[in-house]
Amino acid sequence: MRKLCTRRREFFRPPRLEESRLLIKKSLTGVEDGGGTAVSWYRILPIVRFRTPSHILLIAFAAFPASAAEFSESDIAFFVDDVRPILAANCFECHGGERANAARKFKSNFQVISRAGILNGGDHGPAFDPGNPSQSFLLQKISYKDGDHQMPPSGKLSVEDITTLTKWAEMGMPWTPEDADVLFEIEDHAADTTEINETTRNFWSHKPMSRPSVPEVDNDAWSHNPIDAFLRSKLEENKLSPNPRADKRTLIRRAYYNLTGLPPTAAEVAAFEADDSPDAWDELVEKLLASPHYGEKWARHWLDVVRYADSNGFERDGIKGYMWRYRDYIVNAFNDDMPFDRFIREQIAGDEMDDATLDQIVAAGYNRLMQWDDEPADPVQHFYDVLDDNVRTTSEGLLAMTLGCARCHDHKIDPISQEDYFSFMSFFNGMEQMKRGRANTEKFRASGVDEDFTQRVTAYETEMTSLRRGLNRTERDLQTHLAEVHPDLANRIRPHAAKYRRYVARADALRTAFWHYTTAHPPEDWSAVSFRAENNGWDYALGAFGVNRDDSKARTEWTSPDLWLQTTFQLTEVPKAARFQVKHDGYIEIFINGKFVAERHESSEDYATVPLESNRLRALQTGRNVIAVHLKKTSDQPFFDLGFEGSNQPFLSINEVLRMRGA
């Protein structure tokens, strides 16, 4: 079972940031300017609202002139000569300037073509902070310090331009009086679709369903079932004739494939064809609905809707342990004809139900079916991606609406705002995030589980504890005995092996080792560090060598009587323990840096561990090391693969000691 939410947050609608707003007063002398309605602003003070538990505090900033008319001529000249050219070259095109077709563009609803527009700001609030001009949002955006806010997008302004704009902000943003208050009305094209109004209520998918009247048809036989009447009506409308009645062989095959996904047997077809009773069809359908294969067939469709998978996805694609319980829950729900409302509630919040049963806890595994990245590069991003997956699956699979579109912006089709999206997401926000491995699994005993089951689980756990204690005693006794028999290894023997690091990878590893090889008898120094196989005409290929088997894949063919191989690896320090893992047929002898270290005469169907004695560890050295292997073919299906690993711990497991010194 997966750990699910410990306690979900109550459903809430998170408040939007209370942006600064300006008190607007239309002037009687408003003028028209191409592309929109100009509005003159009079004595405007920016008002900032702070949400508090008990009241709303209004603070008016009046540290700077409220109107461009109050700036000095030198301030206005600085704006005209030094500031306006920078804004015109880098800002006007996207934020209110007149374009070639006389249209105007207002990205983020932000107008930079007037002082009033900068004070008012856009989607991100006011761009000028009178109380702290150097921290104004406009200056933050041009500083490129925030990766999410970098303007202009074509490239950072020069140091001189940034210095000029900073000085201008600290002066209070002087502007030429004749156009300082010009603002254009911005039409919200999405308002008709993102707000709940008469337009969106009347969209066909948002209207309540109604039952239409059943059409009258010419043939009374088609009036017994309302659905058939609709079909017959359309056929008549298009001057089409219905197909002839299906024979019994066709009917039984349709029923089987539709309800169970499986074909009927020949005997079942013959029996149905021979059954002339009037209830034969009804009895067949009831039989198939009662079949366990009914739930197995139809559960597949639901599992597709809710993105069920047995594995995590991503690079390792590990198995989701115990997730099969959710699959079985869905199969059983269909077979038990569970009411649909209960079916949905148990999956979304089964763990939150009073006295939750085991099945309800399993059903809530719905919230854990998404891809799991057990090592995300950006944990915060992954956290919200997981929540987004639940929002999308729930809205698309259960509500037939695409809430996921509103993650980044108000929905462009359905009446769903970005605020609605995050409000909906908050329902899932209390769930405990997935972890690695067994940390996602916990034992659960629901109330009402029968006593026999509880007793059997208790007996099982008691027996397991007893067996572990007995095994520990046996390992301690064997460790003591081996230490007495092999005193030179006494300080190295442990019940379990040390942690090993791979130096040469086996063929079943993610990155397989490359080997140089030859079938011609090499010179005497072929296994030495100084012998360079690549300079002596040896071939180069991936292990393993030989012919394919049912359980092993040979990457490089080998059929000759003898084969000589060489591979290399680097060491920064000599390990205190090392071992080979070998799978092979026939005789092999292994050399490290020209020194013989191991041989095997018997074949190994699986990877055999061959630990190195301490005196043979001395063959290793820091820097470049060479492993050389000589193989002799002894069967028609030869196979060879080898891995080598070492540890900075000198420990040897009991099994390794037995392999080294015999039983």
Side-chain angles (χ1 to χ4, degrees), residues 12 68 95 102 201 258 286 313 387 405 421 520 558 587 615:
F12 71 100
H95 297 286
R201 284 195 188 97
N258 191 37
E286 290 299 329
L387 295 179
C405 297
Y421 169 89
W558 165 45
Y587 174 75
N615 60 333

Side-chain angles (χ1 to χ4, degrees), residues 46-351:
I47 302 297
V48 182
R49 295 181 176 86
F50 297 92
R51 182 181 293 274
T52 66
S54 58
H55 61 281
I56 292 180
L57 181 65
L58 300 181
I59 302 177
F61 293 105
F64 291 99
S67 170
E70 299 182 22
F71 286 105
S72 66
E73 292 184 3
S74 61
D75 289 346
I76 295 174
F78 174 74
F79 166 74
V80 171
D81 297 336
D82 298 321
V83 176
R84 196 199 296 271
I86 299 174
L87 299 180
N90 299 281
C91 308
F92 286 179
E93 181 179 359
C94 295
H95 297 286
E98 189 171 359
R99 312 176 82 184
N101 60 357
R104 295 180 185 272
K105 186 176 183 180
F106 301 105
K107 273 198 170 183
S108 300
N109 295 320
F110 182 34
Q111 303 183 39
V112 187
I113 56 171
S114 67
R115 185 172 186 270
I118 295 174
L119 292 174
N120 190 45
D123 293 344
H124 301 287
F128 175 57
D129 182 355
N132 194 357
S134 63
Q135 296 301 312
S136 295
F137 189 58
L138 178 66
L139 298 182
Q140 294 176 30
K141 295 195 64 129
I142 65 172
S143 72
Y144 268 57
K145 292 180 180 179
D146 183 352
D148 295 329
H149 301 114
Q150 295 181 344
M151 287 293 158
S154 57
K156 187 177 180 180
L157 297 176
S158 67
V159 175
E160 292 79 6
D161 287 348
I162 293 176
T163 301
T164 298
L165 294 178
T166 302
K167 178 181 177 182
W168 174 57
E170 291 173 347
M171 294 168 63
M173 288 192 173
W175 202 286
T176 48
E178 61 271 16
D179 59 356
D181 299 331
V182 172
L183 279 177
F184 290 89
E185 292 183 0
I186 301 175
E187 182 180 355
D188 185 0
H189 297 285
D192 289 340
T193 57
T194 60
E195 296 177 0
I196 298 177
N197 50 39
E198 289 306 311
T199 301
T200 54
R201 284 195 188 97
N202 288 317
F203 191 67
W204 69 268
S205 65
H206 302 151
K207 289 182 178 180
M209 288 191 296
S210 59
R211 185 179 294 275
S213 58
V214 179
E216 295 182 3
V217 295
D218 295 340
N219 191 325
D220 291 340
W222 284 75
S223 299
H224 294 302
N225 188 306
I227 296 176
D228 290 339
F230 280 97
L231 293 174
R232 181 70 183 211
S233 174
K234 281 296 180 182
L235 289 172
E236 293 175 354
E237 182 181 322
N238 290 277
K239 297 181 171 53
L240 296 173
S241 300
N243 288 331
R245 188 177 183 85
D247 57 39
K248 298 190 75 172
R249 176 180 291 267
T250 302
L251 279 177
I252 188 173
R253 288 178 60 81
R254 286 179 182 172
Y256 264 81
Y257 279 115
N258 191 37
L259 295 179
T260 69
L262 300 171
T265 65
E268 289 168 331
V269 173
F272 182 66
E273 287 183 313
D275 189 350
D276 294 328
S277 65
D279 298 329
W281 173 249
D282 290 342
E283 291 174 357
L284 173 66
V285 172
E286 290 299 329
K287 169 191 169 183
L288 296 179
L289 289 174
S291 167
H293 302 310
Y294 167 75
E296 294 165 357
K297 198 267 187 186
W298 284 94
R300 293 186 305 113
H301 300 294
W302 183 258
L303 293 174
D304 286 343
V305 169
V306 297
R307 82 294 196 210
Y308 174 83
D310 289 311
S311 60
N312 297 338
F314 289 100
E315 53 191 326
R316 281 180 286 272
D317 199 23
I319 296 298
K320 281 189 171 79
Y322 300 99
M323 194 52 78
W324 55 267
R325 292 183 182 275
Y326 174 83
R327 176 201 63 205
D328 289 358
Y329 164 85
I330 300 298
V331 172
N332 293 333
F334 276 91
N335 281 332
D336 295 342
D337 199 20
M338 181 183 292
F340 188 69
D341 58 343
R342 175 184 156 197
F343 180 67
I344 297 302
R345 285 200 307 271
E346 290 187 355
Q347 290 179 74
I348 293 178
D351 56 313

Side-chain angles (χ1 to χ4, degrees), residues 515-591:
W515 293 78
H516 286 95
Y517 70 96
T518 183
T519 58
H521 201 291
E524 290 187 3
D525 65 342
W526 70 278
S527 63
V529 177
S530 59
F531 182 84
R532 297 279 182 168
E534 62 270 25
N535 297 332
N536 284 269
W538 288 30
D539 291 320
Y540 191 56
L542 283 168
F545 293 81
V547 297
N548 288 335
R549 297 178 172 181
D550 292 339
D551 60 340
S552 304
K553 181 179 180 181
R555 297 174 184 263
T556 305
E557 183 180 358
W558 165 45
T559 57
S560 62
D562 290 86
L563 186 66
W564 289 266
L565 304 106
Q566 188 186 94
T567 191
T568 63
F569 62 94
Q570 297 284 332
L571 286 178
T572 56
E573 61 177 340
V574 176
K576 296 179 181 178
R579 62 190 183 188
F580 294 103
Q581 292 177 321
V582 189
K583 185 174 185 178
H584 68 102
D585 286 307
Y587 174 75
I588 66 171
E589 52 184 352
I590 307 173
F591 303 83

